[in-house]
Amino acid sequence: MSHMRSEASLDGVSFSSSSSSIVLQSTGSNRKINFCQSCGGPTKHEIPDGEEKMRAICTLCGKIAYENPKMVVGCLIEHENKVLLCKRKIHPSYGLWTLPAGYMEIGESAAEGAIRETWEEANAEVEVLSPFAQLDIPLIGQTYIIFLAKLKRPNFSPGPESSECQLFALEDIPFDSLSFSSMLVTLKLVALYFKC
């Protein structure tokens, strides 16, 4: 694949790409934490000494609440020039198409999480080939890592969170029925990837 760099805007979210790395940028927002996660005491919101960001600080035990982004991992599975998508059977985005992906768990690598999520959502055993895209969405506190993968066996079926799984040719990907903007960005990259 040839190296390329591009910048664009999609649904009010800007992103830039360099090869297959993506950065979605938007203004981050802090949720207001009203109670301490350790002792349940009320919090105050101020900038702790030596820091630059507003934090929730417990008025009873003094513990500072740090908020960190969630890591979403998944697989872009290419099989016979088609891409495997799952139709969501859960909210949010019930009934819309997505790549098999979900939250990474403690104790697993990003690739292990992507493999697990693919099994859970598509009953598909995959081999991860390489990272494909990284998307950062500060507004919702999520970072996505999507891996390029291949099926170990050409078997797949809907898992508990999916109502349907299907291989789509590039020209048949249902761009108007995708679950999240992150999936739209990733799948638009697919066409560029396969042209290189």
Side-chain angles (χ1 to χ4, degrees):
M1 186 169 121
S2 63
H3 290 283
M4 61 185 188
R5 176 145 184 90
S6 63
E7 295 187 11
S9 178
L10 176 65
D11 295 333
V13 178
S14 65
F15 63 92
S16 62
S17 71
S18 176
S19 294
S20 61
S21 295
I22 299 295
V23 178
L24 291 182
Q25 297 176 331
S26 61
T27 25
S29 65
N30 292 341
R31 292 180 327 193
K32 189 160 185 170
I33 298 173
N34 295 316
F35 298 97
C36 178
Q37 297 167 340
S38 293
C39 73
T43 60
K44 60 183 178 181
H45 291 83
E46 59 186 41
I47 300 172
D49 290 340
E51 295 198 24
E52 298 175 358
K53 291 189 175 193
M54 185 77 65
R55 308 281 187 194
I57 304 167
C58 181
T59 59
L60 297 180
C61 72
K63 183 165 182 165
I64 300 171
Y66 292 97
E67 294 182 88
N68 304 107
K70 296 219 176 214
M71 182 72 71
V72 178
V73 291
C75 288
L76 168 64
I77 301 157
E78 187 272 329
H79 183 74
E80 297 178 349
N81 293 317
K82 294 181 178 180
V83 175
L84 182 65
L85 298 180
C86 301
K87 188 178 272 190
R88 290 178 62 85
K89 194 168 80 172
I90 59 171
H91 290 285
S93 298
Y94 180 92
L96 299 178
W97 292 95
T98 187
L99 294 170
Y103 292 118
M104 194 167 110
E105 299 283 350
I106 295 292
E108 65 186 5
S109 69
E112 289 168 341
I115 290 168
R116 175 187 51 75
E117 285 291 338
T118 300
W119 174 254
E120 289 176 3
E121 295 186 11
N123 290 311
E125 289 186 70
V126 295
E127 177 186 340
V128 166
L129 303 175
S130 67
F132 181 76
Q134 177 189 338
L135 300 93
D136 295 312
I137 313 176
L139 182 65
I140 59 172
Q142 292 182 352
T143 292
Y144 286 70
I145 298 178
I146 305 297
F147 292 92
L148 184 61
K150 68 177 184 178
L151 291 170
K152 288 184 175 179
R153 293 187 304 253
N155 301 337
F156 55 87
S157 61
E161 297 181 358
S162 305
S163 61
E164 191 177 339
C165 294
Q166 183 177 333
L167 287 167
F168 287 91
L170 295 180
E171 60 273 12
D172 296 328
I173 292 173
F175 285 103
D176 58 344
S177 299
L178 294 178
S179 57
F180 307 107
S181 61
S182 56
M183 295 299 109
L184 181 59
V185 170
T186 302
L187 289 167
K188 287 199 174 206
L189 282 175
V190 172
L192 294 174
Y193 176 81
F194 285 110
K195 283 181 185 175
C196 296

